[in-house]
Amino acid sequence: MTLDVLIDDPSNAGGVAARAGFTYQDQVGVGFLLDMLEDATIVAVEFETADDITLRILEEDRSINEYVQVKTTEDDRKWSIKEITERSKSSTKTLPGTSLCEKSLACDRFEAEPRFRIVSRRDVASALKPFCAPRGRRKAVTEKLAALKESFSNKHKSFTSKNKRNLGHWAETLYWQVAGSSDGLERDGINKILRMCEAQGSIPGITRAEAMYKELLSQVREASEADRATDGDKKSLARATVQQWWKEKLADIRANARLDLKVYTTLPEPFLKEIAKLDEVAIARSMRSFDVEFDDGEWRSEALCDYLVDWLPEIALPSHTLAQFDRFSARQLLPRALDALKGRRIDVDTLLAEVLLHAVMRNHLNSEPMPCRLFNMEDGTATSAHIVFNDSGDQLWLGRPHLLRADQRDDILTEIAEGLHEAVSSGVLKAERRFIMTLREPHHARPSSIDGLFTDRAKIEDLRRAVRLPILLAYESPHLATGFYNAYLSDLISEANMEYEKLKPVLPATLVSISVHIFLIPIPNVDSLLSEFEKVIKR
């Protein structure tokens, strides 16, 4: 239904001409547009026509105009009956029709049944509090409202609206809404947008909800500032028009829901059980050891490989691909991940070591990985890179995992020592930064306090201060070689501490300012685990 806009005076004097800076009133208007989307009886909202804002309402066969005055005056006092009934004065007499309540009543000059509302920043005195009870929930204040109606009937008795209604009728239909601060109105509006979107099955980010709010604010401002004489029809926003805008926004949210999806926020239940932990802050070294555990007397080799395989998509695929699937669809992505890995000719030893480190970083440090890092390497660079979020400053963890067979221990330890020296050199860190700048998709990543370090102009020494070096060793333990026994766990804990003490002298003392973190995972046999891992991948 199209309604004639309530303009009986084409002049722009007053509201339209004087509304510069009327942000508060526009914010109130946005609230009414959102109300209209939820309330089918509100068929249009007008701005700067009969009143500051006018709600056009159809309830069954009743046509209602709700005239809204928005009051933004700053004062320490609460609104009182005296303040809203007091008339302006000339030098010799008071001027009829100049009090707030009379000006509001004067809007009743059109055919529809009138209602009145005042929206104020300031609170009201106790005598006016009954007006603040929402319509439909006034049973508890019925007697007080009747008394107010009687009181206002005796105010300015000679003044009536064009339709012969007096201030008693005005009081009978008045609703006073204390809306609070401008910031509060904006916050409430954005929260309402989020709730309404969620009810429709669309969940926008806060940034998108803020943008929607600003669009509505712009629509209200344009309608309010439209010329009465030449653009009168633009001063009304019909429900159908706002509904169409809303439907388009919901469709846009659904279509682009995954464009800004933070893909690394959801984690599965941890599989590995932490059994030992040691932090030596003074020398910037730490150790954590994890147990795969036994089940019915069997070391959980197959279950471990099942768990690890679900991490392969995060290692092999870019963020925008992961964004098209949820965490529970990881197996659907596995063929793509394996194709990517085959194309890069990554050997199974390397892949198993990488996914073990990846799982520890993600599940136990809630890190955010750099996707496809394994495919982008230069001499000396890490095979994995993760951001670890920390209250005292986020960190860049550049990892190196190893499968440690018993007969390769000395060679691996020598390799670790040499790699650590090179890891924090300027040349290697520049390469690391270049890979991160290439691979990271910020719209799919959580904001980090070290984002500013991933630019060509950032200083390498600042990046170095954020670097941590995790080393994962999945090593063959004699305590697991013979199967389950009751004391195996205590033996693994003792072994972890011994392994760490053996490793510490290998870690270069020259890197004392760089934190090195040792992750230990004891396994029965490297080759047997590799065989199981390949079997799970292929099935």
Side-chain angles (χ1 to χ4, degrees):
M1 175 183 292
T2 302
L3 301 174
D4 291 335
V5 179
L6 302 179
I7 297 176
D8 54 359
D9 178 3
S11 169
N12 289 313
V16 175
R19 71 177 322 277
F22 274 23
T23 300
Y24 189 86
Q25 182 171 312
D26 295 340
Q27 290 173 321
V28 172
V30 170
F32 287 130
L33 293 185
L34 294 173
D35 289 345
M36 180 167 65
L37 285 170
E38 293 189 308
D39 184 353
T41 66
I42 304 175
V43 295
V45 181
E46 296 183 6
F47 302 93
E48 300 289 5
T49 57
D51 209 338
D52 293 339
I53 300 171
T54 305
L55 309 184
R56 307 296 299 276
I57 299 168
L58 291 178
E59 291 183 354
E60 297 179 351
D61 58 347
R62 298 166 62 201
S63 178
I64 301 167
N65 292 338
E66 183 165 346
Y67 304 106
V68 182
Q69 293 240 328
V70 181
K71 295 298 169 190
T72 62
T73 54
E74 297 284 359
D75 200 315
D76 292 336
R77 298 173 302 162
K78 295 181 177 181
W79 285 98
S80 64
I81 292 178
K82 180 178 184 297
E83 189 174 4
I84 67 174
T85 59
E86 189 172 39
R87 288 173 167 175
S88 300
K89 297 177 181 179
S90 68
S91 58
T92 57
K93 61 179 180 179
T94 58
L95 303 175
T98 58
S99 67
L100 188 155
C101 57
E102 289 173 294
K103 289 179 179 178
S104 177
L105 177 60
C107 295
D108 175 34
R109 55 187 187 272
F110 301 93
E111 291 184 6
E113 175 185 332
R115 288 179 185 167
F116 304 93
R117 185 186 303 213
I118 296 174
V119 179
S120 68
R121 190 193 307 262
R122 282 191 283 143
D123 201 354
V124 300
S126 58
L128 293 173
K129 277 291 185 184
F131 288 134
C132 295
R135 296 188 183 104
R137 299 208 302 270
R138 293 187 159 184
K139 186 175 181 180
V141 292
T142 300
E143 293 183 4
K144 292 180 178 180
L145 286 170
L148 281 168
K149 177 184 175 182
E150 181 67 23
S151 174
F152 275 91
S153 295
N154 294 316
K155 305 285 185 184
H156 309 311
K157 289 185 177 182
S158 62
F159 184 86
T160 61
S161 68
K162 183 178 180 180
N163 292 322
K164 305 304 182 185
R165 294 182 173 92
N166 64 14
L167 287 174
H169 183 276
W170 177 85
E172 183 179 21
T173 62
L174 177 66
Y175 170 45
W176 195 305
Q177 178 183 347
V178 179
S181 69
S182 178
D183 288 344
L185 278 174
E186 179 175 334
R187 184 173 57 251
D188 290 346
I190 292 169
N191 286 338
K192 186 165 186 175
I193 288 171
L194 289 168
R195 289 195 301 273
M196 290 169 64
C197 286
E198 184 178 12
Q200 295 291 319
S202 300
I203 305 179
I206 186 66
T207 302
R208 193 177 291 270
E210 288 171 346
M212 291 169 69
Y213 183 85
K214 287 178 181 177
E215 283 189 39
L216 288 174
L217 196 63
S218 178
Q219 291 182 40
V220 171
R221 186 170 291 120
E222 289 178 11
S224 299
E225 294 175 355
D227 190 281
R228 291 172 182 263
T230 59
D231 292 315
D233 58 329
K234 294 181 180 179
K235 301 191 73 60
S236 176
L237 291 174
R239 185 169 192 264
T241 301
V242 181
Q243 276 185 315
Q244 182 60 35
W245 174 86
W246 181 255
K247 289 176 182 177
E248 290 172 0
K249 291 300 165 185
L250 289 179
D252 183 60
I253 291 168
R254 289 167 183 148
N256 296 288
R258 297 191 176 271
L259 290 180
D260 300 320
L261 184 68
K262 309 307 179 190
V263 296
Y264 303 109
T265 56
T266 303
L267 296 172
E269 287 294 317
F271 178 86
L272 299 167
K273 180 181 179 181
E274 185 176 297
I275 58 172
K277 182 177 181 180
L278 180 61
D279 289 312
E280 295 189 287
V281 178
I283 62 171
R285 303 290 184 257
S286 75
M287 178 274 291
R288 297 172 80 169
S289 183
F290 302 90
D291 181 26
V292 174
E293 299 184 292
F294 286 84
D295 188 14
D296 278 343
E298 299 290 329
W299 194 73
R300 297 193 301 163
S301 175
E302 183 178 356
L304 170 63
C305 293
D306 265 328
Y307 164 73
L308 295 177
V309 162
D310 283 341
W311 290 109
L312 288 179
E314 282 196 3
I315 288 178
L317 299 174
S319 302
H320 64 267
T321 301
L322 297 175
Q324 304 307 311
F325 296 82
D326 58 39
R327 172 80 211 166
F328 304 102
S329 304
R331 287 300 172 99
Q332 296 179 34
L333 281 170
L334 185 57
R336 295 193 194 189
L338 294 176
D339 285 344
L341 292 165
K342 287 176 184 176
R344 299 290 179 160
R345 297 181 180 178
I346 306 296
D347 63 76
V348 180
D349 289 52
T350 299
L351 184 58
L352 177 57
E354 288 297 332
V355 74
L356 279 167
L357 176 57
H358 187 91
V360 169
M361 293 293 301
R362 294 281 286 120
N363 248 157
H364 294 271
L365 280 83
N366 191 21
S367 69
E368 184 165 276
M370 301 299 161
C372 308
R373 185 66 184 82
L374 187 58
F375 304 156
N376 297 268
M377 290 185 290
E378 292 181 8
D379 290 344
T381 60
T383 52
S384 73
H386 293 247
I387 292 177
V388 172
F389 299 89
N390 190 290
D391 289 341
S392 60
D394 298 341
Q395 304 156 356
L396 177 62
W397 288 50
L398 301 174
R400 289 162 175 76
H402 303 272
L403 300 182
L404 186 57
R405 295 173 175 84
D407 59 355
Q408 296 176 329
R409 173 181 294 274
D410 292 341
D411 293 338
I412 294 295
L413 295 184
T414 300
E415 180 184 329
I416 289 171
E418 292 173 350
L420 289 176
H421 267 298
E422 198 171 7
V424 291
S425 66
S426 294
V428 168
L429 288 180
K430 285 179 181 178
E432 297 283 7
R433 183 173 64 189
R434 185 172 65 254
F435 291 142
I436 292 170
M437 290 166 59
T438 302
L439 299 172
R440 194 166 187 239
E441 300 176 68
H443 50 289
H444 290 307
R446 286 175 280 175
S448 168
S449 64
I450 60 173
D451 285 342
L453 300 179
F454 305 138
T455 67
D456 287 329
R457 296 184 179 182
K459 293 192 292 185
I460 289 298
E461 63 186 45
D462 291 337
L463 180 61
R464 187 179 288 113
R465 277 192 285 269
V467 166
R468 305 292 184 272
L469 300 177
I471 298 170
L472 180 136
L473 294 178
Y475 67 95
E476 292 181 341
S477 169
H479 300 300
L480 297 177
T482 57
F484 176 81
Y485 62 97
N486 289 333
Y488 95 92
L489 186 56
S490 61
D491 286 345
L492 286 184
I493 294 171
S494 297
E495 181 182 62
N497 287 296
M498 290 173 58
E499 290 291 339
Y500 175 59
E501 290 302 322
K502 291 177 184 177
L503 273 169
K504 273 200 298 185
V506 177
L507 305 178
T510 53
L511 294 182
V512 68
S513 62
I514 303 294
S515 293
V516 180
H517 303 268
I518 306 299
F519 299 138
L520 300 173
I521 302 179
I523 61 177
N525 182 271
V526 168
D527 293 321
S528 296
L529 184 58
L530 283 169
S531 178
E532 186 68 48
F533 186 59
E534 285 189 284
K535 188 192 306 180
V536 171
I537 288 175
K538 291 177 180 178
R539 74 181 180 205

